[in-house]
Amino acid sequence: MDDIWVAMGGVNNAARLELKTVQGTSGVGVMQLRFQFEASCRHDASAQRPMWLEGKVHAVGLGTSSGYLGRLAVESSPVILHGLAATATFVLVVDLDHRQVQIIEEHRTGGVKFNLEVTGTAMNDGNLERIGVGSVECEVNQSNWVAILEQMQYRRLLLIELDAPDFGRSTELTAALEYYRGAEQQYIKQEWRLTVEALRQTLAALVGKKAEEEDEAADVAAAAKVLRRESSRANIGYPPRAEQVRLALKFMCDLGAHPEAAETTKADAYSALLMVGGLLHSWKPVAAPIAAQPSAEENAPIRAVPPARV
């Protein structure tokens, strides 16, 4: 972490602000980054002078964007240093919405770097005066950033921002949702292949199976053929069609189980998360799965055909 030196009363290094930790919290429809500082009095010019600090924060490395996230505000004001060498802790906070965090996630390649521009005022003989503060750049490594995302409860909704299904609806759905949560965690850690592998487990768990029990490409083709044949005889509702989608998605995600396959990319993992998340949102088990039945022609009795006359 880094520090900022504060100019007060004509003294350049009157106080020191040292950034100690970065944490996250969650609220109703909003998330918050909390930057904890320790202020220390380095000159009498900063003693017994209440300070009100504020500023703005940018995320560094977001492509063509300026990276501006929002205004910084002190959680509890003012900050007072009671004497020389005295210290006080305070927290600068910024409110974020889900989309802002998602943009950071789309651009980061490991940790996240922030630039904080801090300004402030101080009380001097009953009058407020501007004080010279400055900026500080801090880098949060990947493991700490993942912990912050957990604190902010980021992606407790599915990625397409649909409410997560009721865990208690069935034991199969409960198991599938647990695998899906694991896929989200692997995605945050930028483990693209492991993300798709966890989604593979998710799709199998929906019907009470292990992933390796559905690993044949021929099964997908056979199920599609049966469903098409049945749809010509009767009205096929959403659950049987969703089952066909599940099989196709499972076939796609099976690639995540094979390290020798072409490397899974971020785009592969992200699109798979979106599609599986949408399927989970409205999943209803098929009461009686459509089994491969012979066609009408196949059911017809065998008749002896007389030889053609010449």
Side-chain angles (χ1 to χ4, degrees):
M1 297 300 182
D2 214 332
D3 55 20
I4 306 172
W5 289 92
V6 181
M8 299 175 67
V11 178
N12 287 330
N13 296 332
R16 179 173 179 251
L17 309 180
E18 183 181 5
L19 181 56
K20 292 290 189 179
T21 62
V22 184
Q23 295 180 314
T25 57
S26 66
V28 179
V30 69
M31 291 168 279
Q32 194 174 73
L33 278 176
R34 300 165 51 84
F35 300 89
Q36 185 179 57
F37 284 83
E38 180 182 83
S40 55
C41 181
R42 296 306 178 92
H43 190 279
D44 288 334
S46 63
Q48 299 294 336
R49 295 183 63 184
M51 293 183 292
W52 289 266
L53 299 167
E54 57 183 1
K56 55 187 176 180
V57 59
H58 294 76
V60 180
L62 300 187
T64 58
S65 166
S66 69
Y68 176 74
L69 294 178
R71 298 293 303 176
L72 287 166
V74 175
E75 189 173 51
S76 57
S77 291
V79 178
I80 302 176
L81 299 171
H82 294 285
L84 190 62
T87 62
T89 60
F90 65 95
V91 178
L92 289 173
V93 298
V94 60
D95 290 337
L96 306 176
D97 60 32
H98 192 273
R99 178 59 181 158
Q100 287 176 295
V101 181
Q102 185 170 329
I103 290 172
I104 293 174
E105 287 298 282
E106 289 171 356
H107 284 84
R108 74 179 178 92
T109 56
V112 183
K113 186 180 292 185
F114 297 103
N115 183 273
L116 285 67
E117 299 178 18
V118 183
T119 60
T121 56
M123 185 69 71
N124 183 23
D125 296 329
N127 297 312
L128 284 176
E129 65 177 38
R130 299 294 295 178
I131 57 176
V133 187
S135 62
V136 58
E137 193 171 86
C138 72
E139 185 165 3
V140 182
N141 64 36
Q142 176 161 298
S143 60
N144 287 340
W145 180 245
V146 170
I148 288 171
L149 292 177
E150 283 290 308
Q151 292 164 355
M152 294 193 297
Q153 296 189 12
Y154 176 61
R155 285 182 178 154
R156 291 295 175 89
L157 299 176
L158 301 184
L159 284 180
I160 45 180
E161 298 190 13
L162 298 171
D163 291 334
D166 180 9
F167 272 80
R169 196 188 303 169
S170 70
T171 55
E172 291 81 7
L173 184 58
T174 299
L177 285 169
E178 287 298 325
Y179 280 120
Y180 189 86
R181 298 300 188 202
E184 288 186 309
Q185 289 302 308
Q186 295 297 342
Y187 185 85
I188 290 172
K189 295 175 183 177
Q190 301 185 341
E191 294 284 356
W192 314 132
R193 191 182 70 78
L194 294 180
T195 298
V196 177
E197 163 62 14
L199 293 173
R200 174 175 176 260
Q201 302 287 346
T202 300
L203 293 162
L206 270 177
V207 291
K209 294 183 178 180
K210 299 291 185 181
E212 57 273 12
E213 293 175 8
E214 295 182 309
D215 209 11
E216 295 295 331
D219 294 340
V220 181
K225 179 183 281 188
V226 171
L227 186 64
R228 176 171 293 184
R229 186 167 61 235
E230 291 296 320
S231 66
S232 66
R233 303 172 180 174
N235 181 35
I236 303 298
Y238 279 98
R241 293 170 188 249
E243 166 61 12
Q244 182 62 50
V245 173
R246 185 195 70 82
L247 284 171
L249 282 174
K250 171 64 169 52
F251 178 58
M252 171 187 173
C253 292
D254 281 340
L255 286 171
H258 306 297
E260 70 277 6
E263 182 182 0
T264 305
T265 66
K266 181 177 182 179
D268 297 326
Y270 186 67
S271 60
L273 274 169
L274 285 173
M275 290 187 283
V276 176
L279 184 67
L280 286 175
H281 179 70
S282 60
W283 177 258
K284 294 177 182 177
V286 181
I290 297 174
Q293 298 291 337
S295 64
E297 292 77 11
E298 294 168 333
N299 276 326
I302 299 174
R303 293 185 176 90
V305 180
R309 293 181 181 178
V310 180

